[in-house]
Amino acid sequence: ILSPELLETIVAQGSNKLEIPSGVTAGVFTYYGYNADPGLAMIPVTGSNAEFHKTEPDKNVYLVLKNQKGADPSYDYGTHFLFQGHETGVSGYLTRINLDADAAHRITLMANADVNGAVLPTYDGITWYPFSQRLLLTSEGSLGGGVWQATLDAASKVEGLTGILGQGGYEGIQADSQGRLIIVEDAGGSSGAVNTSAKRPNSFIFRFLPTDSSDLQKGGKLQALQVKSLAHSGPISFNFFASADAAILSQDVKDMHTYGLNFDTAWVTVHDTAVNGTAPFNANALAKAKDATPFKRPENGQFRPGSNFSEFVFDETGDTNINTQAGTTYGGFGAIFRLRMSGDSGTLSLVYNGDAVHAGFDNCAFWDRDRIVFVEDAGDTLHTQRNGLDSAWLFDLNTNYSGGGHQPIRILAQGRDVSATIDSQLSGSAGFVNEGDNEITGWHHSNGDPTVRGLLGAKIPKPFKGGWRLFYTQQHGDNITFEVFGTHADEGDDED
């Protein structure tokens, strides 16, 4: 259910056939949101739980481009495109929704293997990097995770960057106007021996300073965010705590989730290709060794428009369990933070502390200069516990949310489509591979400008005007990607 000022239309759904350009071998990658597993079907037959893997198209990137090609050399694919990596399935792949095209040419399979023929990992994050004219895709598979770059060719050339940017549970990724990258890591920590329904902070915020932004393969410095403690001398560090239980209910974690407190920050270098070379490395382990500050599963963030890329707003997902011993006080339900940066230093403060109703924050996009939407990925455990599925919440960065007097505005309440409802009944059965909810993902607001001027955060968004368009994906189930419109919006032209 959308807020009454909004309406939506389907731009792609899981059962749509993919067009396969020359140079791409499809295999089981023939549908937008499903693997065509041999001998199975999209919906299981009676008495069985066997069905196609849902591939879960994840984050979206909208670009206005000319001269894009596809499988049909004589077809005009238009100028408006939406790109996605896929989060689950047999392996990963990259798709392009051709928003101006007919049904037969609607979705193009761009790649399911890298330039060396190796299968791709499943992808969680994606962004456009105009400096090198590449899409950057992230995989949160820890030591199998990292960043990959992909060309815009219909048969995309995909290359791994794990020797440059490292391996980790990478998800959110954004670039600033100088070509520097901020990468948000989603790496779950261990539960405590006493606090069994809570997990210790185990994820880091990274910054990458490229040697040459036109070619990331030339290397650079990977840094991690370090937050100075208010409770003791030195930084808030993973290594400061002897056990998961001590970290989960620490004064540091409590302070970070307390309104009105400000923390000094710094960026510490964890890897430099000029010194350390280009062999793949474990970024999470290096961040711990350098006493960077861990967070409770941050997943995504964006630069605040109008801040000249000096302000980055990001989330924590938290424990996604209503029984978390961390509770709201220690960030058990997730949080939203504001990082203000000036060179290598800055300050961190809390924007919003989650609770059982507002929890599991994930994808985000700025609505305008001051308001940002965060969507939930609470998971079926918390869904059941609170008897509520995921929502999209609109936050105002000028609002003081302390004391509970103000709350964000719900603009989307997610339900379950038919396929997700079937999957919810099959969840937990032996060998079942899919998920039983409709997660909100890929919440993306952009005017499609593919130049440096079009980086997210460079311009003030104008919802539904001046070419600004809003998309999201109803993940799992039917795997539907929607475009959202204003009911009384003047959409205007593609240019501001």
Side-chain angles (χ1 to χ4, degrees):
I1 302 173
L2 283 164
S3 183
E5 299 86 358
L6 305 173
L7 54 87
E8 64 188 12
T9 187
I10 295 173
V11 299
Q13 60 188 35
S15 57
N16 291 149
K17 280 285 189 75
L18 300 175
E19 65 155 31
I20 315 298
S22 176
V24 177
T25 301
V28 300
F29 305 96
T30 56
Y31 297 99
Y32 174 60
Y34 297 86
N35 289 144
D37 302 275
L40 302 181
M42 287 184 182
I43 298 176
V45 299
T46 302
S48 171
N49 70 355
E51 62 180 8
F52 283 173
H53 283 83
K54 312 288 178 73
T55 66
E56 300 178 13
D58 206 332
K59 288 190 71 178
N60 295 301
V61 164
Y62 169 62
L63 294 174
V64 179
L65 303 164
K66 297 179 180 179
N67 304 315
Q68 294 300 290
K69 304 299 182 183
D72 185 348
S74 65
Y75 188 76
D76 181 356
Y77 284 84
T79 56
H80 302 84
F81 303 93
L82 197 65
F83 299 84
Q84 312 85 20
H86 291 247
E87 187 179 6
T88 64
V90 173
S91 60
Y93 59 107
L94 173 63
T95 51
R96 184 189 73 198
I97 301 174
N98 310 308
L99 294 165
D100 302 325
D102 61 20
H105 302 86
R106 187 64 168 177
I107 311 173
T108 302
L109 173 64
M110 297 180 66
N112 54 42
D114 68 13
V115 293
N116 299 313
V119 297
L120 299 179
T122 53
Y123 291 121
D124 295 271
I126 187 172
T127 197
W128 171 242
Y129 193 69
F131 307 93
S132 63
Q133 296 290 290
R134 298 290 192 275
L135 294 163
L136 300 181
L137 298 112
T138 59
S139 175
E140 60 178 355
S142 189
L143 292 184
V147 180
W148 279 253
Q149 63 178 10
T151 66
L152 291 177
D153 303 314
S156 179
K157 301 175 184 66
V158 183
E159 300 171 291
L161 298 171
T162 54
I164 308 296
L165 292 152
Q167 296 175 309
Y170 293 164
E171 185 162 349
I173 183 168
Q174 299 294 331
D176 70 9
S177 57
Q178 298 181 53
R180 299 174 298 191
L181 292 164
I182 288 188
I183 305 170
V184 181
E185 186 186 33
D186 174 17
S190 56
S191 299
V194 176
N195 302 300
T196 56
S197 297
K199 295 182 178 180
R200 74 180 300 170
N202 189 52
S203 306
F204 297 89
I205 305 297
F206 293 97
R207 182 174 76 166
F208 182 69
L209 311 180
T211 301
D212 180 354
S213 61
S214 69
D215 184 0
L216 294 179
Q217 295 279 23
K218 292 183 178 180
K221 293 180 180 180
L222 184 71
Q223 302 177 321
L225 185 68
Q226 186 182 72
V227 181
K228 185 177 180 181
S229 173
L230 300 179
H232 55 82
S233 62
I236 300 172
S237 167
F238 185 94
N239 303 309
F240 184 81
F241 305 102
S243 67
D245 284 310
I248 289 166
L249 301 183
S250 71
Q251 185 64 43
D252 282 332
V253 173
K254 181 179 180 180
D255 287 346
M256 289 177 66
H257 295 89
T258 299
Y259 290 104
L261 298 183
N262 290 283
F263 300 81
D264 291 333
T265 66
W267 293 102
V268 293
T269 298
V270 301
H271 188 273
D272 183 349
T273 55
V275 176
N276 307 115
T278 58
F281 59 93
N282 184 338
N284 183 282
L286 291 181
K288 290 173 181 173
K290 293 290 187 175
D291 285 331
T293 298
F295 291 84
K296 289 180 71 71
R297 289 187 59 210
E299 294 200 53
N300 282 284
Q302 283 199 3
F303 290 101
R304 186 177 187 177
S307 72
N308 195 28
F309 295 94
S310 66
E311 191 169 319
F312 189 75
V313 180
F314 66 95
D315 61 30
E316 285 181 320
T317 298
D319 295 321
T320 60
N321 188 327
I322 205 167
N323 298 317
T324 173
Q325 289 84 8
T328 298
T329 304
Y330 296 88
F333 295 105
I336 298 170
F337 293 99
R338 183 194 332 245
L339 175 64
R340 291 187 171 101
M341 296 172 286
S342 178
D344 290 333
S345 61
T347 59
L348 181 77
S349 59
L350 179 70
V351 173
Y352 185 82
N353 210 12
D355 54 34
V357 177
H358 317 83
F361 303 122
D362 192 343
N363 285 205
C364 64
F366 271 91
W367 188 266
D368 50 29
R369 183 193 300 269
D370 299 321
R371 293 180 294 176
I372 183 171
V373 174
F374 280 90
V375 305
E376 294 179 313
D377 177 14
D380 267 352
T381 296
L382 184 53
H383 292 158
T384 302
Q385 291 170 333
R386 71 181 185 181
N387 193 29
L389 299 172
D390 293 332
S391 294
W393 301 99
L394 181 71
F395 294 85
D396 189 330
L397 295 181
N398 294 327
T399 294
N400 182 356
Y401 289 106
S402 65
H406 297 282
Q407 290 296 340
I409 298 169
R410 189 198 314 260
I411 63 172
L412 169 63
Q414 187 65 282
R416 282 192 179 104
D417 61 30
V418 172
S419 295
T421 302
I422 293 171
D423 289 348
S424 72
Q425 302 303 310
L426 296 173
S427 293
S429 59
F432 188 68
V433 297
N434 294 316
E435 299 190 46
D437 70 326
N438 280 137
E439 176 189 337
I440 308 165
T441 192
W443 190 273
H444 181 69
H445 192 201
S446 169
N447 70 348
D449 182 348
T451 71
V452 174
R453 295 173 302 165
L455 285 168
L456 298 178
K459 297 178 181 178
I460 309 298
K462 302 174 182 177
F464 317 120
K465 297 181 180 180
W468 285 84
R469 299 175 73 170
L470 175 62
F471 302 90
Y472 80 93
T473 299
Q474 181 176 282
Q475 205 180 46
H476 314 152
D478 291 331
N479 280 318
I480 298 173
T481 294
F482 291 98
E483 181 170 3
V484 178
F485 299 89
T487 54
H488 301 292
D490 174 14
E491 294 191 47
D493 298 321
D494 286 333
E495 299 294 330
D496 283 345

